[in-house]
Amino acid sequence: MPASAADSRLPARREFTLNRVLPASRALVFRAFVEPERMKQWWAPRGFQILSCALDLREGGAWRMRICSEETGAIQTEVGTYREIAEPERLIFTHAWVRRDGSLTPATLVTVTFAEHGDGTEVAFTQSDFHSQEFCQSHEEGWSSSLDQLGEYAPRL
């Protein structure tokens, strides 16, 4: 049976979860998700740099990040709204990209939990509500790269 026929019967994946155990306290790992100076060390995938980061860290508050591709120079803006801030256990926020015309891509929901794990912290990062399987896969790859960088940065937290 051709792969495309088999693939068409599978439901489109609309979420993913990434897990990492980091060598830093839960409080410090949580702060790495909500303090711009710490976020600039890891948030964007490899090959991108953060140009700016603005946060209104309260439930209902907005966040905005501008990143730049080191290869092409293309600038992208991502935005969202905080839904829940339960320091240091959980962080829930929306995530969308700003298109060239100023409109937003469909928002996804990000839930990050932080659990004590020995001398470190287990981070469970879930992003859901994707409108396409391709968008889901792209985000999974990007966040996996970002979380790998967070793992490298964590000993310096």
Side-chain angles (χ1 to χ4, degrees), residues 37-48:
E37 289 308 311
R38 294 180 195 237
M39 293 169 76
K40 288 178 182 179
Q41 302 300 314
W42 68 272
W43 184 278
R46 290 193 199 285
F48 288 82

Side-chain angles (χ1 to χ4, degrees), residues 48-121:
F48 288 82
Q49 64 177 334
I50 294 176
L51 300 176
S52 64
C53 176
L55 313 175
D56 179 5
L57 191 60
R58 61 182 175 83
E59 291 180 10
W63 65 271
R64 181 180 190 87
M65 180 98 54
R66 291 179 62 236
I67 64 174
C68 179
S69 167
E70 294 169 356
E71 182 179 327
T72 67
I75 296 173
Q76 298 173 309
T77 302
E78 51 190 306
V79 299
T81 303
Y82 290 104
R83 295 260 180 99
E84 182 180 344
I85 302 168
E87 187 172 354
E89 297 90 19
R90 186 175 41 261
L91 185 63
I92 301 174
F93 56 91
T94 62
H95 181 282
W97 294 97
V98 179
R99 295 183 179 117
R100 288 189 179 149
D101 67 3
S103 67
L104 299 178
T105 61
T108 59
L109 186 67
V110 175
T111 301
V112 189
T113 59
F114 307 87
E116 293 177 1
H117 188 277
D119 290 341
T121 302

